[in-house]
Amino acid sequence: MSVPLVFDGKVVIVTGAGGGLGREYALAFGVRGASVVVNDLGGDIKGGGKSSNAADKVVEEIKAKGGKAVANYDSVEDGEKLIQTALDAFGRIGAFINTFACISDLIHRVHLRGSFMVTRAAWNHMKKQKFGRIIMTSSAAGIYGNFGQANYSAAKLGLLGLANTLAIEGQKYNIHCNTIAPTAGSRLTETVMPPVLCESLKAEYVAPLVLWLSHDQCQENGGLFEVGAGWIGKLRWERSQGRIVRKKNQGMFPETVRDQWDNICDFTNATKPANINESVATLVEVLSRVETDEGIAPNPTSAMATAASGISPVSGEKLPESTFSYSQTQCILYALGVGMSTKDDDHLKFLYEGHEDFSCLPTFGVIPSQAAMMDGGLGSVPGLNFDFTRLLHGEQYLELFKPLPTSGTLTSQARIADVLDKGSGAVILLDVHTYSGKELLCYNQYSLFIVGAGGFGGKRTSDKSTVTHPNRTPDAVMTDTTTRDQAALYRLSGDWNPLHIDPSFAAMGGFKSPILHGLCSFGFAARHVLKQYANNDASRFKSIKVRFVKPVLPGQSLQTEMWKEGNRIHIQCKVSSFIMVVWNCPLTRGLKSELVFAEIGRRIKDLGAEMVKKVNAVFGWEITKGGDIAAQWIMLNLSGALHKGPYSGKTDVTITVSDGDFMEVVQGKLNPQKAFFAGKLKVRGNIMLSQKLEVILKDYAKL
């Protein structure tokens, strides 16, 4: 259960904390349990002088409110001394916030070099403890520039570059670095701003963002945020599609640049490169196009589009016919690849060739069809000259005309059904019909999204494309946990894309690590439906259509929510965030929350018991309906089980929430912290234990 953010046991260093924003940060961290190092040189607004008064006063304020704090009066250029103060007083470092106020020739030394020195002094300590949060303070003047502030602007934008690199280098050590550009009243602005405006731009309207970015729950890294007056916005880079303005073995001339200037500066269908790999990838593509002598042409990030004929002529193009031979081994390997296990007796019919009802999973139908795309199938179509590192699987449709045989040789015929211009990319609709001899077994339609390949002037929608789920609580929920090697196992069924196994290749595609195949999660979701509504009878499976929205990482849990409407099942499969152990829990009629408790408990009861014992506490839930308690659940630390009904003993913490709000939180529609502060979610007892529970369940629960 999510609770207010606290920083118990954390050590936070705040530079420039004697006043203004820094003081507000230090006080806020102190109130929420952090041990704070209050750094301030005690200089005047011109950067001169030195005094301990400012830092000492803030330390006294923190201690008066029951917090822990020590003062430090060193210059940030002496970063080692500042870090040593934290180590001597508290033994470790958790986060530090670089905040400075100075408008003198010391600007570069204080703002940029000072931030670098403090960071360098803390870096190795953070690496050893595998945790760190760094907040750099930039400025709108650094981002946009400002008249008369050349030195200040240069230093502040330099901080952003420093932060971006620290975010990359620190990622694998769980060190996150973000940058804020705050607008707040201070002793520097109070002489030029009206009092009413200063009051509206209080430093306390900036501090909550800093606290969140510093918390171990926050996974934001490399972000840039403007903040002020109670508003927060995230910034990102944007780049026009641009133009290639030279041809192979020819010079490049300023007159060509002049003539193409409007196109170079046209932000229609602009791209948003998020890292240096995405930036360099465009130049690599440009070099390729220059080598093929495509010359002056639109959209260098659209390798599919040609200046002469565009992309539409590829619609209707046929791909070379492909064959796929397989045995029962491939059927079993595929079933294992999509998470089937001998732990479940009803999975055996898909895993053991000697089973009396040995069957092939219906979604195995995608395997013979994907051979049409592999081995150069798509690359053989004129006009589809794209970079495979930029290909994403957008949607998938599979229709079965009869159960798939457990062995045989199949033939697939593929054609380009349509090509759509989505602006930021292009979508290829690929139809594949798969036959056993002359008998049609299944039909697949692949929707393939090519990042950065849009802007060629094509249509945005298609009548060739083959429903959102109902707006109500799901009728059934199933959850399975993927293994760390799920992608490595699934790829043995024939999808050899290195995006799913090679970290360096994944990085080229903009991912921090290899991701799970979309068709693997597709297989998980489909077999959940098959089990829930067809008792694992493959002959009852007709068709399925899915859209891939976000990547899944191997090791994450997949939760499939299902809505039954007539003969159609609507599904939503997402990374699960909930785990619980439930034994012998009868359902109470009318409470949707009990579907979550019962289903997830049934799926993972063996896994959860050991984890629950680590909490070493007794947790209670009171689920209300119409203002009255409708169900009670107790999780015991000794048995590692969740029991339904009243509990005669004492709970360490009890959480009360309505059935509707419970489901809203589980589905991610209601922020738990907002629910807590709005009074929708109430906590009795040791509220800090709720945070401990969340840490244990954080890979599975937002509740």
Side-chain angles (χ1 to χ4, degrees):
M1 182 70 67
S2 186
V3 297
L5 297 176
V6 294
F7 293 85
D8 291 354
K10 304 297 183 184
V11 178
V12 178
I13 301 171
V14 184
T15 61
L21 287 169
R23 172 182 173 274
E24 193 65 37
Y25 301 159
L27 294 176
F29 277 114
V31 166
R32 291 176 180 255
S35 299
V36 186
V37 177
V38 180
N39 164 262
D40 202 286
L41 193 63
D44 57 32
I45 63 173
K46 294 184 179 181
K50 184 175 182 179
S51 171
S52 64
N53 290 340
D56 289 342
K57 190 175 295 184
V58 175
V59 169
E60 291 171 7
E61 288 185 77
I62 293 173
K63 290 182 175 179
K65 295 180 180 180
K68 300 177 182 178
V70 296
N72 175 274
Y73 321 113
D74 293 305
S75 166
V76 288
E77 292 183 273
D78 298 320
E80 293 285 354
K81 294 180 180 179
L82 175 52
I83 298 304
Q84 194 60 48
T85 297
L87 296 174
D88 291 344
F90 304 119
R92 66 193 306 271
I93 306 162
F96 63 83
I97 294 86
N98 287 314
T99 309
F100 309 108
C102 175
I103 52 171
S104 70
D105 290 337
L106 296 175
I107 280 177
H108 275 266
R109 287 168 48 197
V110 173
H111 288 267
L112 188 53
R113 188 169 186 273
S115 296
F116 168 76
M117 296 300 289
V118 176
T119 304
R120 185 173 70 174
W123 192 255
N124 285 334
H125 298 287
M126 288 182 165
K127 282 176 62 176
K128 289 177 182 177
Q129 66 193 24
K130 300 292 185 182
F131 176 81
R133 295 292 185 267
I134 304 170
I135 315 297
M136 297 293 185
T137 302
S138 184
S139 166
I143 299 170
Y144 306 109
N146 195 28
F147 183 83
Q149 290 189 292
N151 56 349
Y152 179 78
S153 299
K156 285 300 188 181
L157 190 58
L159 282 171
L160 177 59
L162 173 62
N164 288 343
T165 296
L166 293 176
I168 296 170
E169 294 182 354
Q171 179 70 36
K172 63 181 178 180
Y173 303 108
N174 193 25
I175 302 174
H176 296 171
C177 185
N178 293 283
T179 305
I180 65 170
T183 301
S186 69
R187 60 177 177 161
L188 296 179
T189 59
E190 62 186 9
T191 58
V192 295
M193 283 185 179
V196 174
L197 183 56
C198 280
E199 180 66 19
S200 299
L201 297 174
K202 289 181 179 179
E204 65 190 67
Y205 297 149
V206 176
L209 171 62
V210 172
L211 267 66
W212 168 238
L213 292 174
S214 302
H215 202 274
D216 53 9
Q217 291 180 17
C218 182
Q219 296 304 302
E220 183 70 36
N221 190 27
L224 170 61
F225 301 87
E226 287 188 281
V227 55
W231 170 87
I232 303 170
K234 185 174 183 178
L235 281 75
R236 64 183 180 188
W237 295 106
E238 187 176 66
R239 181 174 61 188
S240 72
Q241 293 280 355
R243 280 294 190 274
I244 298 175
V245 292
R246 72 179 181 94
K247 292 186 177 181
K248 185 178 180 181
N249 299 325
Q250 294 186 18
M252 178 175 166
F253 307 100
E255 291 79 10
T256 312
V257 176
R258 176 199 62 200
D259 296 342
Q260 292 291 328
W261 192 246
D262 287 345
N263 292 321
I264 291 170
C265 299
D266 183 2
F267 277 85
T268 302
N269 299 321
T271 61
K272 300 173 179 63
N275 53 58
I276 196 168
N277 292 324
E278 293 182 13
S279 173
V280 173
T282 297
L283 296 181
V284 172
E285 192 172 326
V286 166
L287 292 174
S288 173
R289 295 190 66 193
V290 169
E291 283 300 309
T292 58
D293 207 23
E294 293 186 33
I296 300 172
N299 309 328
T301 56
S302 177
M304 297 165 56
T306 62
S309 61
I311 193 170
S312 56
V314 303
S315 296
E317 288 281 343
K318 293 182 178 180
L319 278 65
E321 186 174 275
S322 63
T323 59
F324 178 78
S325 297
Y326 67 104
S327 67
Q328 57 197 23
T329 301
Q330 279 72 40
C331 296
I332 295 170
L333 189 61
Y334 174 80
L336 292 170
V338 296
M340 298 207 106
S341 168
T342 55
K343 290 189 300 183
D344 294 288
D345 292 340
D346 55 356
H347 288 186
L348 203 58
K349 65 183 292 187
F350 300 105
L351 297 174
Y352 175 41
E353 71 284 357
H355 193 282
E356 59 181 356
D357 293 322
F358 180 56
S359 304
C360 184
L361 276 172
T363 49
F364 183 76
V366 302
I367 300 301
S369 69
Q370 70 184 8
M373 294 187 297
M374 305 301 173
D375 303 322
L378 279 177
S380 67
V381 178
L384 294 185
N385 179 30
F386 62 86
D387 180 357
F388 268 88
T389 67
R390 313 187 81 170
L391 184 149
L392 298 175
H393 200 161
E395 296 182 357
Q396 180 72 28
Y397 176 76
L398 167 65
E399 182 175 359
L400 296 178
F401 299 98
K402 63 177 298 183
L404 298 170
T406 55
S407 63
T409 297
L410 308 181
T411 302
S412 292
Q413 298 174 359
R415 60 183 288 274
I416 305 294
D418 217 339
V419 181
L420 310 178
D421 184 355
K422 294 295 186 178
S424 60
V427 172
I428 302 173
L429 297 180
L430 179 68
D431 285 348
V432 185
H433 293 82
T434 300
Y435 299 84
S436 176
K438 294 184 178 181
E439 184 177 28
L440 179 61
L441 287 183
C442 61
Y443 160 64
N444 281 270
Q445 184 180 86
Y446 292 82
S447 176
L448 307 174
F449 186 81
I450 316 300
V451 179
F456 55 85
K459 59 184 180 180
R460 296 185 64 86
T461 59
S462 173
D463 55 5
K464 305 288 196 305
S465 181
T466 45
V467 255
T468 60
H469 64 74
N471 186 24
R472 58 182 171 84
T473 302
D475 299 317
V477 179
M478 282 194 183
T479 301
D480 265 324
T481 301
T482 66
T483 69
R484 183 66 181 84
D485 297 316
Q486 200 74 56
L489 179 59
Y490 182 84
R491 69 192 299 267
L492 299 180
S493 289
D495 188 340
W496 302 103
N497 189 340
L499 174 66
H500 307 292
I501 192 73
D502 185 345
S504 60
F505 194 92
M508 290 174 62
F511 299 101
K512 295 178 181 178
S513 62
I515 61 176
L516 194 64
H517 304 71
L519 286 178
C520 181
S521 53
F522 166 84
F524 270 79
R527 66 176 181 77
H528 286 164
V529 176
L530 188 68
K531 180 181 179 68
Q532 179 70 27
Y533 292 106
N535 195 29
N536 279 332
D537 182 355
S539 66
R540 297 178 61 190
F541 194 99
K542 174 62 176 173
S543 62
I544 181 172
K545 168 76 178 291
V546 302
R547 173 176 296 167
F548 302 105
V549 179
K550 292 183 179 180
V552 176
L553 300 178
Q556 291 183 318
S557 294
L558 291 173
Q559 175 177 290
T560 304
E561 299 171 342
M562 293 165 268
W563 294 261
K564 188 176 188 300
E565 296 203 336
N567 292 326
R568 173 172 290 184
I569 310 298
H570 298 264
I571 65 171
Q572 175 174 272
C573 186
K574 59 187 179 182
V575 173
S576 170
S577 33
F578 190 81
I579 183 171
M580 191 74 51
V581 183
V582 186
W583 290 339
N584 302 322
C585 298
L587 295 181
T588 299
R589 189 172 183 84
L591 289 185
K592 297 296 185 181
S593 58
E594 301 202 8
L595 288 171
V596 178
F597 286 116
E599 176 58 34
I600 295 185
R602 184 181 67 82
R603 297 294 300 169
I604 54 175
K605 62 183 180 181
D606 293 333
L607 173 65
E610 182 179 349
M611 295 179 65
V612 173
K613 291 177 183 177
K614 295 179 181 179
V615 180
N616 194 28
V618 178
F619 289 85
W621 279 265
E622 294 176 344
I623 305 298
T624 66
K625 191 168 185 179
D628 298 323
I629 296 176
Q632 293 174 289
W633 303 82
I634 304 294
M635 185 163 68
L636 303 175
N637 60 317
L638 297 178
S639 64
L642 185 79
H643 294 283
K644 185 183 177 185
Y647 179 57
S648 58
K650 180 182 178 182
T651 62
D652 293 292
V653 59
T654 300
I655 300 157
T656 303
V657 61
S658 74
D659 183 60
D661 289 336
F662 178 91
M663 294 305 298
E664 291 277 304
V665 172
V666 169
Q667 295 171 33
K669 297 177 181 178
L670 175 62
N671 183 288
Q673 293 180 41
K674 290 183 179 179
F676 178 84
F677 286 114
K680 295 182 178 181
L681 184 155
K682 300 177 181 178
V683 182
R684 301 195 308 272
N686 187 346
I687 194 171
M688 302 314 301
L689 284 175
S690 296
Q691 178 125 352
K692 184 177 181 182
L693 176 65
E694 182 181 0
V695 169
I696 292 178
L697 305 182
K698 65 182 179 180
D699 290 335
Y700 308 94
K702 290 183 179 177
L703 188 70

